[in-house]
Amino acid sequence: MKKGLSQTCHRFFSTVSNPTRLATLEKLREGPMNVSQLAEALNQEQSMISHNLRPLVRCRFVHVERRGRERIYRLNRETVEALFKIVENHAEKYCPTGGRCP
Amino acid sequence: MKKGLSQTCHRFFSTVSNPTRLATLEKLREGPMNVSQLAEALNQEQSMISHNLRPLVRCRFVHVERRGRERIYRLNRETVEALFKIVENHAEKYCPTGGRCP
DNA sequence: ACCTCGTATGAAACATATTTCATATGAAGA
DNA sequence: TCTTCATATGAAATATGTTTCATACGAGGT
């Protein structure tokens, strides 16, 4: 693997290794949403959601679209669902206790 | 997605969001290796490799086998190759500048 | 029993990431 | 133009993760 991809991997995985951002991705599986809706659904401050959306957009895990004064965030399903599927398969096989590794 | 998987995701992705561990995984694609070999190949202190191998083992990205006084680390290809493939696909599609996102 | 090799470990030092809070920006309506 | 709503942003406060260094442990060989 080339030098560049290693760096890409790092940014890619760092972006999804955060509980707030993971929760955001999970929530967006239900459909596109604006920031306030996400903030309410996840029970977090708007500012925090906003801060955490940025890296998700930067790495294209989600896409934004302006709609008047709100911004609609939409999941990049292709990548995110594939990612979740791998974790599910892996966990099923290697984490029989349900995520709590010894 | 259940509460448990979200936590699993976090641990899973945290583990691979570190340059040393990513380099270790990449190196292990070439075949099983012991700690000293990894340390030399990656030009890092033995202690550091050892510390970083732990989370990789805990999450089963790699497996260990004792051989006399050395320990042979072996990649869990099923999970790791699948993971790399997703990043490659994603990067190709969304990071045309080669990992440097604007 | 002692020495050496390969590896692991704990804890301090260091580096990075996350959250919070106050405030700015920008679009739309009165 | 003034106000309000939705969102973004900067910087301090806080929390987490990583590396280093010194040392411990355990398996072989002598």
Side-chain angles (χ1 to χ4, degrees), chain A residues 34 36 46-47 50-51 71 73:
Chain A
N34 68 29
S36 316
Q46 169 270 318
S47 159
S50 204
H51 272 303
R71 301 195 186 186
Y73 287 86

Side-chain angles (χ1 to χ4, degrees), chain B residues 9-48:
Chain B
C9 280
H10 183 208
R11 182 169 273 187
F12 186 95
F13 292 127
S14 303
T15 302
V16 287
S17 70
N18 168 293
T20 304
R21 295 195 286 274
L22 280 168
T24 302
L25 292 177
E26 275 192 57
K27 195 68 199 167
L28 287 175
R29 291 174 103 182
E30 296 174 10
M33 255 172 239
N34 68 28
V35 181
S36 316
Q37 291 173 315
L38 277 168
E40 175 160 36
L42 302 178
N43 205 35
Q44 300 284 339
E45 301 250 333
Q46 170 271 317
S47 160
M48 188 183 164

